[in-house]
């Protein structure tokens, strides 16, 4: 879906009109989050977010897995595989699986570590462990209670934050923010912006670590100084277009599609004709690239991004604490809002 504009507009009439439905939806999700989960045989680290739509979870998960390797762990990713047809559990193999099979994000994760797709998260965690992982990194799943999480990092885009602060469909929140905080052990704020700063202040008031980070292009020279027709079907396309401009590209036109959009022949033909008329190169995200047919993708450039933390030491310290505190025989008591969890 494409996030409606009123989600970013506090006080908008549509938001107020839908607020009662959002209250019901958010309350149900919050109650589900409070359920006790199954304890895995190894630590489970969840990279989630408070809202629907893109916040930067996948780059964060990739960065966390790299940190875990630095401290001697063997991570495996666990993902639901949104948009794919397979229920799993299955090991994602980019050489034989497509985005139609497993979704787009698992194909990106598989570049960084062994990736298990499973709609049943506990079953997926068991497969991760059986295949040699000693820590599971969940890409998304903050609102899914089926697995006990030893460390849960909530990722926020500083520019968009939590939008109008209302629950779906009145706003982008998956559940009321106050109910979600109790399940979070730390906050990752990506980029700069007043909304992200407000959340950072609230996290600090709850004695939660705040990790500031930024997305940087992995190879900016491929677009620097070149005319570009940029397209993206992700949660926050504008963020990608801004990154292109910061990389030095001359962004002539942009085209947005809904998140996880399955590109059709008409979409591709239109993009190719438009780029040819503009004399521009077609550029998209790595997440979009894995959804493109191989023949079309050959004429498209993907601008990859990497997440860099301002203070890597604080992230490494929190990961170490989570591992040291893990006990497979002990299921920690569910924290309440007045006593935030520490990891």
């Amino acid at each position: 879906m494409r996030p409606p504009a009123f989600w970013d507009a506090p006080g908008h009439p549509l938001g107020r009109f839908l607020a009662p439905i959002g209250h019901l939806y958010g309350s149900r999700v919050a109650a589900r989050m409070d359920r006790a989960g199954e304890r895995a045989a190894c630590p489970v680290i969840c990279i989630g977010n408070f809202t629907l739509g893109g916040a930067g979870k996948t780059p964060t998960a990739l960065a966390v897995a790299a940190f875990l390797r630095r401290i001697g762990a063997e991570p495996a990713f666990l993902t639901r595989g949104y948009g794919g047809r397979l229920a799993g559990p299955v090991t994602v193999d980019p050489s034989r699986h497509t985005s139609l099979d497993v979704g787009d994000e698992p194909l990106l994760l598989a570049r960084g570590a062994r990736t298990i797709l499973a709609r049943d998260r506990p079953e997926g965690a068991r497969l991760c462990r059986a295949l040699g992982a000693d820590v599971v990194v969940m890409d998304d799943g903050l609102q899914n209670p089926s697995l006990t999480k030893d460390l849960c990092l909530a990722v926020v885009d500083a520019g968009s934050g939590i939008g109008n602060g209302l629950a779906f469909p009145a706003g982008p929140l998956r559940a009321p923010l106050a109910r979600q905080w109790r399940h979070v052990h730390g906050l990752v704020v990506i980029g700069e912006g007043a909304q992200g700063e407000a959340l950072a202040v609230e996290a600090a008031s709850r004695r939660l670590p705040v990790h500031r980070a930024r997305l940087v292009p992995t190879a900016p020279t491929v677009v620097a100084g070149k005319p570009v027709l940029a397209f993206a079907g992700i949660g926050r396309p504008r963020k990608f277009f801004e990154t292109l401009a910061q990389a030095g590209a001359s962004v002539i036109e942009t085209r947005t599609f809904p998140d996880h959009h399955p590109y059709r022949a008409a979409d591709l033909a239109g993009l190719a004709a438009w780029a040819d008329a503009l004399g521009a190169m077609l550029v998209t995200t790595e997440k979009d690239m894995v959804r493109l047919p191989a023949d079309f993708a050959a004429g498209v450039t993907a601008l990859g991004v990497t997440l860099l933390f301002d203070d890597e030491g604080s992230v490494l310290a929190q990961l170490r604490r989570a591992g040291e505190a893990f006990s497979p025989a002990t299921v920690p008591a569910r924290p309440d809002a007045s006593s935030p969890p520490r990891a």
Side-chain angles (χ1 to χ4, degrees), residues 155-177:
V155 182
V156 299
D157 177 88
S160 55
I162 57 170
N164 61 12
L166 300 176
F168 178 84
L173 282 173
R174 303 189 193 197
L177 184 62

Side-chain angles (χ1 to χ4, degrees), residues 199-248:
L199 289 168
V201 169
E202 184 169 358
S205 74
R206 293 171 177 268
R207 297 181 289 114
L208 299 176
V210 176
H211 307 294
R212 299 180 185 276
R214 63 193 185 281
L215 289 168
V216 298
T218 53
T221 55
V222 299
V223 296
K226 297 176 182 177
V228 163
L229 167 57
F231 67 99
I234 58 176
R236 297 284 175 179
R238 185 179 62 185
K239 184 165 60 175
F240 170 64
F241 302 148
E242 291 171 352
T243 300
L244 269 173
Q246 292 164 7

Side-chain angles (χ1 to χ4, degrees), residues 301-320:
T301 298
L303 182 71
V305 293
T306 301
L307 189 73
L308 298 181
F309 285 92
D310 292 354
D311 184 356
E312 292 186 355
S314 68
V315 183
L316 287 165
Q318 190 168 28
L319 293 174
R320 286 194 180 97

Side-chain angles (χ1 to χ4, degrees), residues 100-126:
L100 296 176
D101 299 319
V102 299
D104 45 27
E105 286 149 351
L107 294 172
L108 299 182
L109 293 171
R111 299 175 184 177
R114 187 189 302 275
T115 300
I116 302 301
L117 180 151
R119 304 286 170 85
D120 184 319
R121 306 293 175 85
E123 192 174 4
R126 286 190 286 273

Side-chain angles (χ1 to χ4, degrees), residues 39-90:
R39 166 63 76 187
C42 63
V44 174
I45 297 173
C46 174
I47 311 300
N49 65 337
F50 298 126
T51 63
L52 297 163
K57 293 188 302 295
T58 299
T60 304
L62 287 164
V64 164
F67 284 154
L68 288 167
R69 283 214 173 94
R70 282 169 56 178
I71 59 177
E74 184 57 43
F77 292 118
L78 175 59
T79 176
R80 180 181 179 275
Y82 180 87
R85 63 178 180 82
L86 298 180
V90 62

